[in-house]
Amino acid sequence: TDVEEKMAVSQVKVYPNPATDHINFELYNIDNSNISIQLFDVSGRLVKESSTSTNKCRMNLSDLQSGTYIASVSINDKVFEKRSIILN
């Protein structure tokens, strides 16, 4: 069920935040899942996207302007977490 799947992801660590040229995502308590990380600007426009099947992902932000972004973490096509990211 959705509740069981949400409980399977107990923590998403995002660092450093504020970020300068990259950001790291670490997901805990996941097993061989299709993980997608999307970064949106404040107007909702998709500016970056990355996929992985491991629990760690490093996203390069050096081509983005300073500002606030929203990171959306999806596992098996279901959104589990949204985080505000500050880019200096």
Side-chain angles (χ1 to χ4, degrees):
T1 67
D2 286 340
V3 173
E4 290 169 344
E5 289 177 8
K6 286 181 182 178
M7 291 185 71
V9 179
S10 64
Q11 187 176 11
V12 177
K13 185 176 181 183
V14 180
Y15 64 92
N17 192 10
T20 52
D21 61 351
H22 73 277
I23 195 133
N24 298 296
F25 295 86
E26 286 188 32
L27 293 84
Y28 299 95
N29 296 332
I30 60 162
D31 296 316
N32 299 329
S33 296
N34 179 19
I35 300 163
S36 173
I37 299 170
Q38 298 177 313
L39 201 61
F40 298 90
D41 63 15
V42 291
S43 66
R45 184 176 58 97
L46 178 66
V47 294
K48 285 271 185 188
E49 186 169 25
S50 183
S51 296
T52 184
S53 60
T54 67
N55 69 330
K56 292 183 180 181
C57 179
R58 179 180 171 116
M59 188 177 279
N60 182 355
L61 306 178
S62 62
D63 58 332
L64 297 179
Q65 294 184 10
S66 297
T68 301
Y69 295 87
I70 304 297
S72 176
V73 178
S74 301
I75 299 174
N76 296 328
D77 297 323
K78 294 184 181 180
V79 176
F80 282 93
E81 180 120 5
K82 290 193 176 184
R83 293 272 179 97
S84 178
I85 306 293
I86 307 296
L87 181 58
N88 289 334

